[in-house]
Amino acid sequence: MRFLKILFLFIVFQASAQQGGMWIPSLLEGMNEDEMQSLGSKLTAQDIYDVNNSSLKDAIGHFNGGCTSEVISDQGLILTNHHCGYSQIQSHSSLENDYLKDGFWAMNKEDELPNNGLFIEFIVSIHDVSDVVLAGITESMTEKEKQSQISKNSNAALKTWPKESWQDVKTKAFYEGNQYFLFVTERFDDIRLVGAPPSSIGKFGSDTDNWVFPRHTGDFSLFRIYADANNRPAPYSKDNKPYTPKHFLPISLDGVEEGDFTMVFGFPGTTSEYLPAVAIEHITKEFNPTNIAIREAALKVIDQKMKESDEVRIKYASKQARIANAWKKWIGENLGIEKSNAVEKRKAFEATFTKALKEKGLEDKYGNILSEFDQLYKDFAPINIKRRNFIEVFLTTNELMQMTFRAYQVEQALIDNPEILERGKTILTGQLQGIHKNYDVDLDKGVYLNVMPLYGKKVDASIYDNTAFTNLESALELLEGDAETVIKNLNNDAAYVYAKPIIAEFFDTINTEYEEKNATITALQTQYMTALMEALPNERYFPDANSTLRVTYGQVRGYSPRDAVYYSPVSYLDGVIEKYIPGDYEFDVPQKLIDLYEAKDYGQYADSNGKVPVCFLGTNHTTGGNSGSPAIDAHGNLVGLNFDRVWEGTMSDMNYDPEICRNIMVDLRYVLFIVDKYAGAKHLIDEMELVHPKKDGSKKKKKRKSKKK
């Protein structure tokens, strides 16, 4: 493991216009800085990451642990995606105040809405602690012993690392556990909703346009960070003040054109770029198709019920979006892997790797890896599929099964430790209340009837008529009494009796077998990463995404998804009107937007052709978690808001191909147009710093509003 860190010092990369990769912002000097500048960037590595002065990284926040956001004013105004703020918008919505349908705009700070549980986290500094975390690790250790030592070392480092009282620290593994970094962070918990367009703008195109281009979605929402009197993180209080950031992003009104440099800065979630070919085949030919089928069966019911009732639509808006998003992503991933011939290319790379092992005398050390992968995945595939199918049915699509799953966890805890009764009740009560807040029995029953056969279990529709779980009040009554009574109540419930043996099978057999086999594969993947960098040191390696702050750079580019078809990189408001279908839940358009279009009342937000840009494409390497990430121009200004990838390009989680992998961004001029001309929230525009780096002919970086930390 420690060999890898030493090896980095001797790897020499050719500086050229390379793209792809999710790079650690504290390590950009050298190769990455040269590559960015060859693509048109005027930024230095220090402009992007600096621990002594404000830099771009200080404007980038991890939004609720799953998306990215950025600061766009000196009053803590935050920009992220509409779909990232969707659950918060939904939570404030009702039939009387339908913010999903009509949008929401706070016309003053007193009208901004607090959001319980929502947080934004910033990175203060990043530190390589590989030597500390990997101290004492030897080749003779078992994998369990290694992980135990790593955990011990990591915990010790976290306890002693210097930080302020309001800050936190955490460590993360990189390069399959060959390298470790420590992050000092600041988390803000008083986050208030400022503005969101109606879903007919923020979710325009819905499922039909999801993951595809041309795209015409204004996928943005606005929040604000509040801090205490010392500008430090604090729980919600009416006395808190808008946060004064270390850095915020100016916004370019000049927009983009093909070939322009773009940098996406954010918190990508998970990628697996170094999988062997056998793993990619398993995922796309065996694993994905079964889960696609389950989600498709659920969506048929959910979509129909949402069309029939506004009340159901509001309840299930966020759930439907989560289910549909991965469903369509997996379909595109499979298409992209096939179109790019990724499996065969990976096999060719493995042949090169095998040859290099022989040439360097490393066959005895690493020559068994690929054949071991073949055998391990053959054994792993069935249990991996079964486990994921269970999760799809019991935790993702069907809420009655999810309630029985949570109840089973409490029962098992009470059997061993009856003294934790009150804690168990509290946890389960909260889970049941969360589900029932947005629950429809008829819809859920329809989902159950559709998905359970795909898991291979007998369907019993009568459980919905004979269970207490479908009503919150009766469900909570199951938890009354002592531990023995609660267990008895649960085991007298029809739905629980039905689900319990299926859940027990998952914990006792399926998940146990999965964890055992997956641990073996994970250990081999770590060894494979080490072997790759030792055998092929001149390859271009970047760490897989792991929800830590990363930089990815590229250019504005169109692409050809199939023969004789080419997509230009920019879409316009004209396309919104072309797609307009009155009354359609995906393609309806607000009358005010139509009026603005017909009057050509675009303000300062049209391009040189008099058209309002809506979205544009880039070659940036993104994934889930990059939603809401800023697209930054060559001078450090905000030009776009990342929110999606093209369908075929979703394969970039396993195989980035610059020919067909494209990320999709909202043009910031469309965001400003909607805020100003559509919403009439010009006070928010006045907060921002709008610049003209192209029209002003500036060839130098815009001077930052810096302050010492």
Side-chain angles (χ1 to χ4, degrees):
M1 286 184 178
R2 299 183 68 178
F3 170 82
L4 181 62
K5 187 184 177 194
I6 298 170
L7 183 65
F8 277 132
L9 300 175
F10 300 99
I11 297 176
V12 178
F13 295 94
Q14 180 180 357
S16 61
Q18 298 233 42
Q19 298 170 74
M22 299 174 178
W23 305 96
I24 301 169
S26 58
L27 301 177
L28 295 177
E29 290 186 5
M31 177 200 72
N32 294 123
E33 189 175 52
D34 292 343
E35 285 185 354
M36 284 190 288
Q37 291 177 357
S38 72
L39 291 168
S41 173
K42 307 301 179 184
L43 299 166
T44 66
Q46 193 173 15
D47 291 327
I48 297 168
Y49 177 92
D50 192 332
V51 295
N52 298 312
N53 299 285
S54 71
S55 56
L56 291 176
K57 64 100 173 161
D58 296 312
I60 316 302
H62 205 179
F63 188 84
N64 218 29
C67 284
T68 301
S69 58
E70 53 273 2
V71 191
I72 58 171
S73 86
D74 60 3
Q75 299 176 54
L77 190 62
I78 289 290
L79 179 66
T80 191
N81 286 153
H82 185 267
H83 76 259
C84 292
Y86 204 63
S87 62
Q88 283 73 39
I89 303 166
Q90 179 195 36
S91 70
H92 293 297
S93 295
S94 64
L95 290 174
E96 294 76 24
N97 294 301
D98 192 346
Y99 298 139
L100 290 175
K101 182 179 180 181
D102 302 325
F104 169 80
W105 305 97
M107 291 304 170
N108 53 64
K109 291 184 175 67
E110 289 70 29
D111 291 340
E112 296 173 358
L113 302 175
N115 300 276
N116 185 40
L118 178 62
F119 68 89
I120 293 176
E121 185 176 75
F122 293 97
I123 301 299
V124 177
S125 58
I126 305 172
H127 309 271
D128 186 343
V129 291
S130 301
D131 286 344
V132 174
V133 175
L134 296 175
I137 302 297
T138 65
E139 293 295 329
S140 61
M141 285 182 169
T142 65
E143 193 60 30
K144 185 176 181 180
E145 289 171 338
K146 289 179 182 179
Q147 292 307 313
S148 177
Q149 184 66 39
I150 287 171
S151 295
K152 179 181 177 181
N153 293 343
S154 179
N155 290 335
L158 293 175
K159 288 180 181 178
T160 59
W161 198 268
K163 65 178 181 65
E164 302 292 346
S165 60
W166 63 87
Q167 295 174 340
D168 201 358
V169 288
K170 57 187 173 184
T171 57
K172 284 275 191 173
F174 291 73
Y175 293 104
E176 305 293 345
N178 282 285
Q179 195 168 20
Y180 285 81
F181 284 84
L182 181 145
F183 298 81
V184 180
T185 63
E186 289 181 347
R187 168 174 162 159
F188 291 83
D189 293 293
D190 187 352
I191 314 296
R192 305 182 197 180
L193 177 63
V194 174
S199 292
S200 53
I201 293 174
K203 207 171 183 289
F204 183 79
S206 194
D207 296 332
T208 298
D209 277 6
N210 191 22
W211 300 109
V212 298
F213 202 78
R215 197 68 176 274
H216 299 89
T217 309
D219 194 350
F220 77 93
S221 58
L222 293 162
F223 291 79
R224 192 184 305 279
I225 299 175
Y226 282 77
D228 67 14
N230 296 312
N231 203 42
R232 294 171 183 169
Y236 169 80
S237 169
K238 62 182 178 61
D239 297 324
N240 285 344
K241 307 295 182 183
Y243 170 62
T244 301
K246 298 168 184 172
H247 182 78
F248 68 89
L249 299 178
I251 300 173
S252 170
L253 286 174
D254 294 342
V256 298
E257 56 189 310
E258 188 148 18
D260 278 359
F261 171 81
T262 54
M263 180 179 77
V264 172
F265 209 167
F267 293 84
T270 304
T271 57
S272 302
E273 301 291 343
Y274 304 102
L275 291 175
V278 64
I280 299 175
E281 282 188 298
H282 161 60
I283 291 168
T284 56
K285 294 182 180 180
E286 301 174 320
F287 184 81
N288 281 354
T290 62
N291 298 306
I292 289 169
I294 292 172
R295 292 204 176 196
E296 189 167 293
L299 287 168
K300 285 181 179 178
V301 178
I302 297 171
D303 290 347
Q304 184 59 41
K305 294 290 186 181
M306 287 177 67
K307 290 177 183 178
E308 294 173 357
S309 165
D310 279 345
E311 183 178 0
V312 172
R313 174 182 56 80
I314 292 172
K315 285 181 176 180
Y316 278 81
S318 183
K319 296 172 188 174
Q320 190 274 349
R322 289 196 301 270
I323 293 171
N325 193 55
W327 163 73
K328 194 167 185 179
K329 185 255 186 184
W330 292 331
I331 296 172
E333 186 173 74
N334 291 355
L335 291 172
I337 291 295
E338 182 177 358
K339 176 180 172 62
S340 65
N341 200 26
V343 173
E344 291 307 313
K345 288 179 180 177
R346 192 62 56 93
K347 288 180 178 178
F349 175 77
E350 290 170 2
T352 300
F353 167 69
T354 300
K355 181 180 178 182
L357 292 180
K358 185 175 182 179
E359 291 173 347
K360 296 190 176 187
L362 297 172
E363 284 182 299
D364 289 344
K365 190 175 182 181
Y366 300 124
N368 64 313
I369 290 177
L370 293 177
S371 60
E372 281 193 31
F373 270 134
D374 288 340
Q375 185 58 51
L376 288 174
Y377 272 97
K378 182 179 179 180
D379 295 338
F380 179 63
I383 201 65
N384 190 34
I385 293 168
K386 190 70 174 177
R387 177 182 179 273
R388 185 66 207 192
N389 289 173
F390 176 91
I391 291 171
E392 289 296 316
V393 171
F394 276 77
L395 294 176
T396 303
T397 59
N398 184 244
E399 290 164 306
L400 177 58
M401 293 301 101
Q402 183 182 161
M403 286 186 275
T404 61
F405 180 88
R406 300 305 181 193
Y408 178 87
Q409 291 178 303
V410 170
E411 182 196 4
Q412 297 308 301
L414 291 179
I415 290 173
D416 296 330
N417 302 286
E419 67 276 5
I420 66 161
L421 175 63
E422 292 307 317
R423 182 166 175 264
K425 284 183 179 182
T426 300
I427 293 172
L428 184 54
T429 295
Q431 292 168 336
L432 293 174
Q433 289 172 335
I435 292 171
H436 276 276
K437 181 181 178 182
N438 296 295
Y439 182 64
D440 183 87
V441 177
D442 290 338
L443 183 154
D444 196 48
K445 182 177 180 180
V447 170
Y448 163 78
L449 294 174
N450 266 18
V451 302
M452 190 56 74
L454 297 176
Y455 188 62
K457 297 298 182 180
K458 180 181 177 182
V459 171
D460 182 0
S462 70
I463 62 174
Y464 275 83
D465 301 319
N466 298 287
T467 181
F469 283 105
T470 53
N471 177 275
L472 179 58
E473 185 177 346
S474 59
L476 295 179
E477 288 176 358
L478 294 174
L479 305 183
E480 294 178 356
D482 58 18
E484 184 178 350
T485 302
V486 170
I487 292 173
K488 182 179 179 181
N489 291 343
L490 290 176
N491 284 278
N492 284 332
D493 185 88
Y496 189 77
V497 170
Y498 167 85
K500 183 175 179 178
I502 306 175
I503 301 169
E505 178 190 32
F506 171 78
F507 279 110
D508 297 341
T509 304
I510 297 171
N511 201 51
T512 300
E513 183 180 347
Y514 166 84
E515 289 182 347
E516 179 183 326
K517 292 182 175 179
N518 187 58
T520 305
I521 288 178
T522 299
L524 188 62
Q525 191 72 44
T526 299
Q527 186 184 22
Y528 183 42
M529 188 78 250
T530 307
L532 285 174
M533 300 189 79
E534 188 173 348
L536 299 169
N538 292 319
E539 289 290 324
R540 188 171 180 269
Y541 299 104
F542 60 91
D544 273 320
N546 60 359
S547 294
T548 58
L549 188 61
R550 304 293 183 89
V551 167
T552 174
Y553 42 84
Q555 293 177 317
V556 177
R557 293 288 180 197
Y559 84 113
S560 180
R562 52 192 176 276
D563 183 48
V565 175
Y566 178 78
Y567 289 143
S568 298
V570 181
S571 66
Y572 295 91
L573 183 57
D574 305 62
V576 175
I577 305 303
E578 289 171 3
K579 290 179 176 180
Y580 170 43
I581 303 174
D584 185 271
Y585 85 101
E586 293 186 304
F587 295 104
D588 203 358
V589 175
Q591 185 60 48
K592 185 171 183 180
L593 187 59
I594 296 173
D595 293 342
L596 289 167
Y597 174 78
E598 291 179 345
K600 300 295 182 280
D601 185 4
Y602 300 151
Q604 60 182 328
Y605 310 116
D607 67 5
S608 58
N609 296 314
K611 300 166 69 174
V612 176
V614 177
C615 298
F616 64 93
L617 294 172
T619 60
N620 303 89
H621 188 175
T622 62
T623 188
N626 277 124
S627 290
S629 291
I632 297 171
D633 70 6
H635 303 282
N637 304 308
L638 185 62
V639 290
L641 181 64
N642 187 79
F643 72 101
D644 208 354
R645 286 173 283 171
V646 299
W647 208 19
E648 303 85 354
T650 58
M651 68 159 186
S652 63
D653 287 351
M654 294 183 284
N655 181 58
Y656 173 82
D657 184 338
E659 293 300 314
I660 62 174
C661 289
R662 296 289 182 273
N663 63 308
I664 308 175
M665 295 157 277
V666 187
D667 194 299
L668 253 292
R669 290 170 293 180
Y670 189 56
V671 173
L672 299 179
F673 167 71
I674 295 298
V675 173
D676 186 351
K677 306 299 289 186
Y678 177 85
K682 192 173 185 303
H683 63 289
L684 297 175
I685 303 294
D686 293 339
E687 272 192 50
M688 306 172 196
E689 183 178 342
L690 307 184
V691 298
H692 284 285
K694 291 183 179 179
K695 291 183 180 179
D696 293 343
S698 174
K699 298 298 181 183
K700 60 183 180 180
K701 301 181 295 293
K702 178 175 176 59
K703 185 177 180 180
R704 301 194 306 268
K705 289 189 173 181
S706 299
K707 62 187 251 183
K708 292 285 183 180
K709 296 182 185 179

